[in-house]
Amino acid sequence: MGQKTGKFFLLTLVLFYALAADPQVFLRVVDPHGQQLTTLGLGVPFVVDVEISGEGAGISEPDVKTSPAISLMPGGTSSSVRTINGHTTVKKNYRYQATVVS
């Protein structure tokens, strides 16, 4: 079985989210050991980490849409709240297990 690889930017990951505050969204694609990836292989698992931070508690889970060639499964969430001098920042991390299937 040969492996197809390609630059990550060729894959399309589109995030749609409904947030009350002006959020910051960070997307990381890493291998299962946390090392950043620049290419993906057919059948080789990888992890998509989405971090959303903003003011207030209005952050909801993103609707992550991918190419049909990528299998995506929820892999867990975490969140934190920080208040400094009356200014509250909420950060939520969403992890997805993914594989290129075709």
Side-chain angles (χ1 to χ4, degrees):
M1 173 191 253
Q3 282 205 355
K4 293 184 196 176
T5 58
K7 297 289 183 190
F8 177 70
F9 67 86
L10 295 177
L11 299 175
T12 55
L13 291 177
V14 180
L15 297 175
F16 293 99
Y17 49 88
L19 302 171
D22 186 26
Q24 292 183 343
V25 178
F26 300 98
L27 177 72
R28 285 181 5 136
V29 177
V30 296
D31 68 13
H33 305 290
Q35 300 297 315
Q36 185 122 5
L37 294 175
T38 57
T39 60
L40 301 173
L42 181 63
V44 179
F46 61 98
V47 176
V48 177
D49 281 326
V50 180
E51 178 183 298
I52 304 172
S53 61
E55 296 179 8
I59 296 176
S60 61
E61 183 171 2
D63 180 15
V64 180
K65 299 192 183 289
T66 67
S67 162
I70 298 175
S71 170
L72 197 67
M73 303 268 305
T77 62
S78 65
S79 62
S80 64
V81 178
R82 180 176 63 179
T83 302
I84 299 175
N85 294 333
H87 178 70
T88 301
T89 301
V90 177
K91 180 166 60 171
K92 293 189 178 182
N93 291 29
Y94 300 91
R95 178 169 274 210
Y96 301 91
Q97 307 296 324
T99 306
V100 178
V101 293
S102 62

